[in-house]
Amino acid sequence: MTTEQYAIPGLKNVLYIDLTSRSYYIKDRRDLYEKYLGGVGVATNLMLEEYIEGTGPLDPEMPIILSTGPLSGVYPTCTKTVALFRSPHNGELGESYAGGRLAMSMRYSGYETIVIKGASQYPVYVAIHDDKVIFRDASSIWHLSSAIDVGKVLRDVEPGAGRRSIIRIGPAGEKGITYASVNVDTYRHFGRLGLGTVFGAKKLKALLIVGNQEIKSPDHNAYRKTYSKLYDTIVKTGLTEKYHNLGTSENILVLNELKGLPTRNLQGTSFEGAETISGELFAEKYLIRRVSCAGCPIGCVHVAMLRRPFSKAHEYETLNISYDYELIYALGSNLGVADPEAVLELIDACEKAGVDIISMGGVLAWATEMQQRGKISTVETMGLQFSWGDKAAYLRAIDLVVQGPNDFYAALGKGVGYASKKYGGEEFAVQLGGLEIPGYHTGLGNMLGLTVGFRHSHLDNAGYAADQAAFNRPLSDEKIVEAIIEEEDRRSVLNCMVACLFARNVYTYPNIIEALKSLGIEKTEEELKELGRDIFRKKYELKKKFGFKFEELTMPKRFFETTSTTGKLEEDRVKRAIELYRKKRGV
Amino acid sequence: MLYKKKTHTSLKEELEWEIMAKRLKVANPARCIGCYSCMMACARTWYDTISLKNSRINIQTRGGIETPYAAIVCHACIDPPCMRACPLGALTKRKGGGVNLNKEICDGCGNCIEACIVGAIHLDAEKKAVICKHCGVCTKFCPHDVLEMIEVEDSGEIKVTDTSPVEDTSPVSSTASHKELYGRKEPEEEK
Ligand code: SF4
Ligand code: SF4
Ligand code: SF4
Ligand code: SF4
């Protein structure tokens, strides 16, 4: 049976949206897809094309690029969309990945990549219904107190119920908090580095996409076969079991045991309350359902139910909150919060505000230590007395950071790097490359990985995994550097697809080659590896243009005071490893 | 549950299963994770393109992912209203409930869509009705025990096949069944 003549070949279009003039056009960019496949490869090259020297992160001319890849909407777990922008948080390359339904909607709408430029004079949202792109006034949903509610409103006004993707910002993005996130379909996010802030500056409240086209593969039988093979590998081999069962929060007890779980602003690496905020406990007591990104059989999104009383007369409200390892670290161990319900409430407050939870956790942890050391007082905090584990103070603080009623909270809204320059405490402002760190203090690999990584993320190169290897058997620093380089290039290729990194061991080079072949794309392993290296060079070119300099990197003392999984780190050793990395990479 | 799930204990049983009247059943809708694996499977099996829209089963949310997923698919009516509504006779009774569609005859009038209050029918790009065949392919791609093929009478009536005593079915551990599905076997334990 066939409806072939109605199908699109795929990987052809880039949709350009100009918010200033509220107009759009579509360009045939097969040239880009042929060379760089899609995802981060295409987005990096588009950013190099679009970036006008000297443009600031929040200037209208600065583009947002969203891109999917050849396997998006086609093969299981290829569910991510990459966003490229210039980060208002650290001024550097902004790169973030989100799942949900976005990739599938973009792919089936025939716009595999979207470039958003300009800025509207008043709040707008953009609705894409296959070939129609509509701009609508969003003033009535600007100022909504919750990013979640934005979805509720748009679901009612826009047609296409059932499988739309709705990405939107909350108050933090409107207010210019530099680490505002973009909420994707309620439970997923473009979390890090402030894409939400860029949306806010463009007065773009939301983007809704409905795609309902068919894609044509040149060899449908090969496609069917490869799909079944990949599906079986994901579901039946145990490669992704961890993400399905307890989810990433399984790592709380693991990292606690390994002394790699940042605790109380990285004053420690194990937390006496780890048991009560463990993935095991959340699963047993609060987990009510798992959901998946569209096109992924793993079901890694863990949703907890919190029943919260709001009066003494047995009145309750029920909150559904998705949780993950990083969130539990950021608002749990790193704030000394051992009460799981408090962790859930803090997550919920950040979700509504639309902020990156890792950065918010880092900011609150730093502020707590500042106050405990007497470097700030209740004057700056507007009466709040921060103490580890005090949920009520932290809940209030999240609101205050988002609203920014005084200089101190306004500074907290720009991250620990900025705030510590103003108020002191740089030695324990736990950031690398201007970004509050994810939940690992495992040793050299992690610290090096976060420092040299494109976006200072553990997902750039999994430095913690190199430490894990070094923990189990002796590994020279050079080998750690090499592991990081290899992983970076491999991940760049995965990010062209754009595959979920939880399935990274399913999408091996041979499997990627087979999957591409069934779509009529011929690539060799060597060509893919070269693509990875090419992306590295181009991203560093971009980073340089955005002002990144190795010489300006600072490494707060805290990293060298607190023992990591693989022992205490010395600054010199990290510096030598960075030099080695630069030499090997030629940057 | 009064019907037996598909089992593969012997070749004889397997062959018997093959010739029995069967139908698709959304057995455990609350377990759906919204992965769309079933839709992808249906669409790629019965069409030569990659899409969700040609799937005969439709996984939907009504209020975003915060709300439960609904699986909308043919209920295998014993006396199908869609068939009665078709002015051209393109739909005929299927053994085991539901209908068989003769695509050649269907002209896309949409009367069946109106008659099916379940909402299980839509038209494809060539204006032909898209109706579940109860082939069972989607059940093989559901990772979360939502979809099943069940044995029914030729008429489509539910067959009571399982009259064995009710045994203690509490799982060894709360995640045992998933561990097995996702590959990692639980160590054997005494119950
Ligand atoms: S398509 Fe609808 S009306 Fe027809 S048999 Fe199925 S459920 Fe009944
Ligand atoms: S759409 Fe086709 S099957 Fe449905 S009633 Fe019309 S002719 Fe019959
Ligand atoms: S039983 Fe067959 S025709 Fe029906 S929804 Fe499943 S795969 Fe499609
Ligand atoms: S395959 Fe199963 S879990 Fe996935 S969407 Fe379909 S019914 Fe739901």
Side-chain angles (χ1 to χ4, degrees):
Chain A
M1 222 184 274
T2 173
T3 53
E4 268 173 48
Q5 64 265 44
Y6 305 98
I8 51 172
L11 294 177
K12 176 166 165 255
N13 295 329
V14 175
L15 168 67
Y16 291 82
I17 293 176
D18 181 4
L19 293 169
T20 310
S21 58
R22 277 189 284 289
S23 61
Y24 68 96
Y25 57 95
I26 298 145
K27 254 198 207 165
D28 185 334
R29 293 305 307 265
R30 260 176 280 206
D31 58 315
L32 281 180
Y33 294 110
E34 267 159 28
K35 262 185 151 155
Y36 308 109
L37 291 173
V40 81
V42 165
T44 303
N45 282 281
L46 276 169
M47 184 58 96
L48 282 166
E49 277 178 22
E50 295 291 333
Y51 174 62
I52 307 163
E53 212 82 31
T55 316
L58 302 180
D59 291 341
E61 299 76 36
M62 197 66 215
I64 296 168
I65 300 163
L66 302 173
S67 188
T68 61
L71 310 187
S72 308
V74 172
Y75 280 113
T77 69
C78 291
T79 53
K80 298 274 168 172
T81 304
V82 55
L84 233 57
F85 52 103
R86 186 172 177 188
S87 168
H89 194 53
N90 63 3
E92 267 197 55
L93 178 67
E95 179 185 353
S96 184
Y97 292 79
R101 296 160 162 176
L102 181 59
M104 197 177 253
S105 300
M106 280 176 66
R107 195 69 206 280
Y108 289 149
S109 74
Y111 308 124
E112 294 90 356
T113 301
I114 303 175
V115 177
I116 305 169
K117 285 192 293 191
S120 176
Q121 279 179 341
Y122 51 82
V124 288
Y125 78 85
V126 177
I128 301 171
H129 296 273
D130 284 311
D131 48 355
K132 283 197 284 304
V133 179
I134 302 156
F135 297 82
R136 294 190 74 178
D137 195 323
S139 302
S140 54
I141 49 174
W142 199 258
H143 299 313
L144 266 183
S145 59
S146 157
I148 309 292
D149 293 347
V150 177
K152 291 192 179 134
V153 175
L154 293 190
R155 254 175 239 128
D156 283 343
V157 292
E158 289 291 328
R163 271 186 311 277
R164 301 167 288 192
S165 181
I166 305 178
I167 73 176
R168 66 271 193 177
I169 59 168
E174 297 173 6
K175 295 270 184 190
I177 306 307
T178 60
Y179 45 94
S181 61
V182 173
N183 179 299
V184 176
D185 303 324
T186 307
Y187 293 134
R188 304 279 85 186
H189 313 83
F190 289 112
R192 308 229 66 192
L193 291 163
L195 182 62
T197 324
V198 185
F199 266 55
K202 292 189 177 311
K203 289 262 189 301
L204 178 60
K205 183 68 182 174
L207 184 68
L208 176 144
I209 305 183
V210 190
N212 218 3
Q213 308 202 43
E214 298 167 50
I215 299 169
K216 182 65 200 145
S217 129
D219 184 350
H220 198 70
N221 279 331
Y223 165 65
R224 282 182 185 140
K225 263 218 199 104
T226 306
Y227 188 104
S228 294
K229 174 177 156 185
L230 292 171
Y231 180 91
D232 285 351
T233 312
I234 292 164
V235 174
K236 293 176 186 156
T237 60
L239 279 178
T240 63
E241 205 274 338
K242 159 184 170 182
Y243 301 108
H244 172 76
N245 185 348
L246 290 177
T248 53
S249 57
E250 173 182 289
N251 276 343
I252 291 283
L253 288 186
V254 176
L255 276 147
N256 187 55
E257 182 77 29
L258 290 172
K259 303 217 171 349
L261 175 69
T263 301
R264 296 189 175 88
N265 201 36
L266 195 57
Q267 296 185 75
T269 43
S270 58
F271 182 44
E272 71 286 355
E275 288 284 337
T276 54
I277 58 167
S278 64
E280 286 78 355
L281 186 123
F282 276 105
E284 246 159 60
K285 287 215 165 141
Y286 301 101
L287 179 64
I288 50 161
R289 64 194 280 245
R290 294 189 182 93
V291 294
S292 251
C293 299
C296 168
I298 299 177
C300 79
V301 184
H302 287 59
V303 180
M305 188 182 86
L306 180 65
R307 176 176 177 254
R308 181 162 72 174
F310 62 92
S311 90
K312 293 215 161 65
H314 297 97
E315 289 186 290
Y316 298 96
E317 59 180 344
T318 308
L319 305 171
N320 287 2
I321 302 154
S322 74
Y323 62 90
D324 250 315
Y325 169 74
E326 299 291 347
L327 315 188
I328 301 174
Y329 134 73
L331 300 172
S333 68
N334 209 34
L335 293 180
V337 176
D339 170 6
E341 302 201 356
V343 172
L344 290 174
E345 280 188 72
L346 290 165
I347 293 175
D348 186 59
C350 290
E351 288 281 17
K352 285 177 173 146
V355 284
D356 175 34
I357 291 182
I358 302 180
S359 285
M360 180 59 92
V363 161
L364 297 178
W366 173 81
T368 306
E369 199 173 333
M370 283 292 281
Q371 198 173 22
Q372 290 189 342
R373 289 177 186 271
K375 288 175 178 270
I376 51 164
S377 69
T378 46
V379 178
E380 283 90 359
T381 63
M382 300 180 83
L384 280 186
Q385 193 67 55
F386 293 115
S387 71
W388 302 119
D390 182 358
K391 167 193 89 175
Y394 289 135
L395 279 175
R396 167 79 61 83
I398 291 168
D399 276 347
L400 288 168
V401 172
V402 173
Q403 298 305 327
N406 68 5
D407 286 351
F408 178 69
Y409 284 108
L412 290 186
K414 293 186 162 67
V416 297
Y418 178 93
S420 63
K421 276 200 194 93
K422 212 167 156 180
Y423 293 89
E426 284 177 85
E427 328 77 77
F428 54 86
V430 183
Q431 52 78 31
L432 288 171
L435 186 64
E436 294 72 17
I437 64 156
Y440 307 90
H441 187 48
T442 50
L444 179 70
N446 177 59
M447 206 166 155
L448 176 67
L450 293 179
T451 310
V452 301
F454 303 123
R455 50 187 160 129
H456 307 292
S457 162
H458 62 297
L459 296 171
D460 283 324
N461 46 37
Y464 60 92
D467 290 334
Q468 207 175 6
F471 182 77
N472 292 325
R473 67 193 148 82
L475 201 62
S476 72
D477 289 4
E478 181 163 4
K479 282 269 176 298
I480 291 181
V481 172
E482 279 165 5
I484 281 176
I485 291 174
E486 198 188 316
E487 192 62 21
E488 262 169 4
D489 289 344
R490 172 165 90 117
R491 288 182 178 221
S492 286
V493 175
L494 288 166
N495 291 340
C496 288
M497 297 303 129
V498 182
C500 175
L501 292 176
F502 292 170
R504 59 187 174 275
N505 296 327
V506 175
Y507 285 91
T508 55
Y509 284 116
N511 280 350
I512 291 177
I513 290 165
E514 185 182 330
L516 287 173
K517 192 158 186 273
S518 76
L519 301 174
I521 305 169
E522 301 275 352
K523 289 278 173 197
T524 63
E525 181 161 336
E526 194 33 54
E527 282 169 333
L528 289 177
K529 286 185 168 159
E530 179 46 34
L531 177 64
R533 290 189 287 268
D534 186 52
I535 289 170
F536 172 83
R537 288 188 293 267
K538 294 220 164 98
K539 275 203 196 161
Y540 256 88
E541 190 184 331
L542 263 179
K543 274 168 77 84
K544 281 222 181 88
K545 282 184 197 277
F546 292 163
F548 170 78
K549 290 196 183 77
F550 278 102
E551 295 71 27
E552 285 172 13
L553 283 170
T554 58
M555 289 186 281
K557 280 212 191 70
R558 178 57 45 86
F559 287 101
F560 309 109
E561 291 163 358
T562 304
T563 308
S564 77
T565 304
T566 48
K568 229 174 207 170
L569 271 172
E570 286 116 41
E571 187 161 358
D572 278 347
R573 183 173 162 221
V574 180
K575 282 193 169 147
R576 277 198 304 277
I578 293 175
E579 283 316 311
L580 194 59
Y581 175 89
R582 293 184 63 182
K583 216 170 99 209
K584 283 188 190 284
R585 278 297 205 180
V587 287
Chain B
M1 245 172 264
L2 296 172
Y3 51 85
K4 266 189 193 150
K5 273 208 221 177
K6 185 177 177 180
T7 48
H8 295 266
T9 40
S10 70
L11 186 64
K12 187 170 164 278
E13 274 185 46
E14 178 73 10
L15 288 172
E16 271 171 12
W17 170 264
E18 285 306 322
I19 51 168
M20 273 170 202
K22 291 175 290 285
R23 55 161 287 207
L24 172 67
K25 181 166 174 62
V26 184
N28 302 300
R31 294 182 194 172
C32 180
I33 57 174
C35 65
Y36 304 131
S37 303
C38 52
M39 295 185 70
M40 298 284 296
C42 182
R44 87 172 160 267
T45 304
W46 295 107
Y47 285 82
D48 289 340
T49 56
I50 304 162
S51 78
L52 290 177
K53 70 186 250 190
N54 290 332
S55 170
R56 291 145 181 183
I57 178 168
N58 185 10
I59 304 296
Q60 276 213 333
T61 51
R62 295 259 154 78
I65 300 168
E66 300 106 280
T67 57
Y69 289 94
I72 299 157
V73 66
C74 172
H75 287 186
C77 298
I78 293 162
D79 180 17
C82 56
M83 178 183 82
R84 254 197 302 280
C86 178
L88 300 178
L91 299 173
T92 48
K93 229 180 202 173
R94 175 189 168 274
K95 183 177 132 194
V99 289
N100 293 313
L101 165 75
N102 186 332
K103 266 214 173 185
E104 302 296 313
I105 303 176
C106 171
D107 74 349
C109 71
N111 288 9
C112 54
I113 299 177
E114 199 124 321
C116 174
I117 58 169
V118 172
I121 311 177
H122 66 281
L123 298 180
D124 68 16
E126 284 170 358
K127 300 264 174 294
K128 303 283 180 187
V130 181
I131 306 180
C132 175
K133 284 180 182 295
H134 299 273
C135 70
V137 169
C138 54
T139 62
K140 301 198 178 89
F141 285 90
C142 177
H144 239 223
D145 298 341
V146 178
L147 307 173
E148 277 170 14
M149 289 302 284
I150 60 164
E151 190 189 328
V152 285
E153 304 287 354
D154 287 357
S155 66
E157 298 279 0
I158 296 285
K159 209 178 201 170
V160 177
T161 52
D162 192 356
T163 49
S164 51
V166 179
E167 45 173 330
D168 174 11
T169 53
S170 58
V172 177
S173 91
S174 49
T175 54
S177 72
H178 295 143
K179 286 217 165 135
E180 209 175 287
L181 182 66
Y182 281 78
R184 200 194 282 173
K185 291 268 183 309
E186 288 266 281
E188 293 292 325
E189 251 177 68
E190 290 298 324
K191 244 195 241 163

